[in-house]
Amino acid sequence: MPIKNNRLTAEQYEQNFSDIHPPFDSRESALVEANRCLFCYDAPCTKSCPTSINIPKFIKQITTDNVKGSAHTIFVSNIMGAGCSRVCPVEKLCEGACVFNLLEEPPIPIARLQRYSTEMAMEKKWQLFERKPATGKKVAIVGAGPAGLSCAHVLSREGIDVTVYEKESRGGGLMTYGIAAYKVTPRFCEDEVNYITSLGGIHIKYNQELGKDLTLAELKNNYDAVFLGFGVGLARQLDIPGEELGGVVDAIKFIYDIRAGAYQQVPVGDRVAVIGMGMTAIDAATQAKRLGAKDVTLVYRRTQEEMPCTEAELDLAKLDGCRVIWLAAPAMLKGEHGKVTQLVCSLMQLGEPDTSGRRYPVATGEQFILEVDMVIKAAGQIPFSELVTASQLENTYGKVVVQTNGATNIAGVFAGGDCVNGGKEVVDAVQAGKIGAGAILEYLF
């Protein structure tokens, strides 16, 4: 049961990692769906969008062939509207709130319509915003992910010169490095970053890591304000015996490797176990299967009712042939010659609710064994506690503490996104960037 790469042909890799939600194949197809919209007053879809995109308006603009206006309506609320149209869990946000659900009819395909307008804008390089004259103010942003890019675009539109410091060699953050390749490609992410920065006034410095290549004190001295959007990224460890064995990998690293290189270069086992049931766990499991793993099993310590991922994501994993074992928690990893061969799991039962509101799993005393040659840990991510503490930022277990406007305990320093909330959706980070930008403008003027 070796862990190896080059398991499939080039054609199989291309098919397995092709766009899972293809766009409309024609203008007519988009118009048919757009004309189904009831254009609700006080629309529940808009209310359910963290960035408050005026969804009835942009769909109405599509029906009148005003695609440029439609794209502007989206981008003015969410400059990463193109990427969000691919990765947002719309079934629990805008499409989940669509009134057609109450009529037992398919909801309006809001994400595909949003993609129709925004990707046309990117392809045609429509410049939908005009930058105001330079104010002479300078702002530093840490992290070229959704929060940082959103903040940068709002500030640049107002004439602020923005410098973004990014530790990776490419921008996009989670969009570029942390989401399944069949949802959004690295090339698309690069195009989206370029489209956002084409406004002008935004300079990204790559391979610059806070706490290593620069400090918060230096940024505060050199700029009029600072926005922190460095996210989270440290994988939560299982803290069980055998975790150091070969073949035991972090989901974050596994997905990063898939995103950063060619699919055939990423090794995968025959029998893979994935620990967790969040979006990252689903992405890791489905991609392991699509890389050529023969058997992929998701192990989750609670039941389906408590799982963090959506039903749509779970269905995707099942359609790819992934198996799920509920009420099971990893207890030990065993191996031979330094490589993992078995995952020992404890059977669980649900007790009282914990601080998250979900019932806490309690071991029953019974165990079972899974034969594996690879284990992917996707039990969540933890904040950059050492970085946050060293920067003298007030925090709660590593999560930066901010006021409602994103202000930190340090004057002139603001923060938003995953480094504050511990890890939510891309669209939440975009909104946090907008809020931070608004607070910075008030602070500067």
Side-chain angles (χ1 to χ4, degrees):
M1 297 185 292
I3 297 178
K4 62 180 184 180
N5 54 13
N6 283 298
R7 286 179 172 269
L8 307 175
T9 66
E11 291 76 15
Q12 287 174 314
Y13 282 121
E14 184 177 356
Q15 181 179 357
N16 287 354
F17 288 91
S18 62
D19 198 334
I20 196 170
H21 299 300
F24 290 112
D25 56 6
S26 67
R27 166 182 169 274
E28 289 72 26
S29 297
L31 287 174
V32 166
E33 291 295 342
N35 279 301
R36 286 181 57 227
C37 184
L38 300 177
F39 310 114
C40 302
Y41 173 77
D42 200 21
C45 54
T46 294
K47 286 183 175 181
S48 69
C49 174
T51 57
S52 300
I53 294 173
N54 190 333
I55 294 169
K57 180 180 179 181
F58 94 69
I59 294 178
K60 186 68 174 178
Q61 288 169 311
I62 290 175
T63 67
T64 59
D65 268 341
N66 182 11
V67 181
K68 185 176 286 189
S70 175
H72 181 270
T73 297
I74 296 163
F75 284 140
V76 77
S77 293
N78 182 347
I79 192 56
M80 297 194 77
C84 286
S85 71
R86 291 169 173 245
V87 305
C88 260
V90 292
E91 60 275 4
K92 71 176 184 180
L93 295 174
C94 56
E95 291 183 18
C98 179
V99 295
F100 275 116
N101 290 299
L102 301 175
L103 303 174
E104 297 185 356
E105 291 187 29
I108 302 299
I110 297 169
R112 292 182 73 195
L113 290 168
Q114 182 168 312
R115 179 173 175 177
Y116 173 76
S117 297
T118 54
E119 291 192 4
M120 188 180 296
M122 288 173 57
E123 289 168 9
K124 295 181 179 296
K125 294 181 170 54
W126 289 336
Q127 189 49 258
L128 304 176
F129 299 93
E130 184 175 346
R131 187 168 185 253
K132 293 181 180 179
T135 63
K137 298 292 186 181
K138 301 186 302 178
V139 172
I141 292 177
V142 179
L149 290 172
S150 173
C151 182
H153 197 267
V154 173
L155 291 175
S156 182
R157 285 178 357 217
E158 296 300 320
I160 308 294
D161 290 325
V162 180
T163 302
V164 184
Y165 294 87
E166 168 56 46
K167 70 175 182 178
E168 301 290 350
S169 59
R170 290 181 291 177
L174 178 70
M175 289 285 292
T176 299
Y177 291 104
I179 293 177
Y182 51 75
K183 294 179 181 176
V184 58
T185 65
R187 174 58 188 271
F188 170 82
C189 292
E190 183 179 351
D191 290 344
E192 185 170 44
V193 172
N194 290 338
Y195 183 73
I196 292 170
T197 57
S198 67
L199 172 70
I202 303 172
H203 177 55
I204 303 179
K205 292 188 175 183
Y206 294 107
N207 303 305
Q208 296 291 306
E209 183 175 352
L210 184 65
K212 180 181 177 182
D213 303 297
L214 61 151
T215 67
L216 181 56
E218 291 171 345
L219 294 178
K220 196 172 183 311
N221 287 335
N222 295 330
Y223 293 87
D224 297 301
V226 179
F227 179 82
L228 304 174
F230 50 77
V232 291
L234 300 175
R236 190 181 302 280
Q237 300 304 299
L238 301 177
D239 294 326
I240 59 175
E243 195 167 0
E244 75 288 347
L245 288 167
V248 181
V249 300
D250 294 329
I252 299 168
K253 174 79 164 54
F254 180 66
I255 295 173
Y256 181 100
D257 289 345
I258 295 172
R259 302 284 299 181
Y263 304 130
Q264 64 269 20
Q265 295 174 353
V266 182
V268 69
D270 280 335
R271 298 181 180 179
V272 180
V274 179
I275 312 301
M277 193 53 72
M279 297 295 220
T280 300
I282 296 291
D283 282 356
T286 53
Q287 289 188 115
K289 192 72 174 174
R290 292 172 185 230
L291 285 172
K294 294 178 181 177
D295 179 68
V296 176
T297 303
L298 285 147
V299 177
Y300 184 52
R301 61 181 184 161
R302 290 183 167 97
T303 69
Q304 186 168 344
E305 291 183 2
E306 290 82 26
M307 67 181 185
C309 74
T310 65
E311 291 285 348
E313 292 287 323
L314 177 60
D315 289 345
L316 175 62
K318 289 181 176 179
L319 286 170
D320 274 5
C322 299
R323 188 165 61 109
V324 181
I325 300 179
W326 306 103
L327 289 171
M332 180 186 300
L333 293 161
K334 295 182 178 181
E336 295 178 1
H337 310 296
K339 297 181 180 179
V340 66
T341 57
Q342 292 182 331
L343 170 62
V344 181
C345 294
S346 297
L347 288 173
M348 313 298 283
Q349 62 184 12
L350 294 182
E352 296 299 317
D354 61 12
T355 53
S356 70
R358 296 178 296 173
R359 294 173 65 191
Y360 193 77
V362 180
T364 63
E366 297 182 63
Q367 293 185 330
F368 65 92
I369 295 175
L370 284 177
E371 300 293 332
V372 298
D373 56 15
M374 186 176 191
V375 174
I376 302 176
K377 300 179 289 184
Q381 296 170 267
I382 57 177
F384 296 107
S385 298
E386 291 185 10
L387 171 63
V388 170
T389 302
S391 300
Q392 299 183 333
L393 290 160
E394 183 182 350
N395 66 91
T396 303
Y397 303 109
K399 293 189 290 186
V400 180
V401 173
V402 299
Q403 300 175 25
T404 54
N405 67 350
T408 70
N409 60 300
I410 302 175
V413 178
F414 302 79
D418 288 356
C419 67
V420 172
N421 61 40
K424 289 187 176 181
E425 307 297 342
V426 171
V427 68
D428 294 296
V430 173
Q431 181 63 14
K434 285 168 54 185
I435 292 171
I440 288 172
L441 291 170
E442 287 189 13
Y443 173 77
L444 295 178
F445 303 107

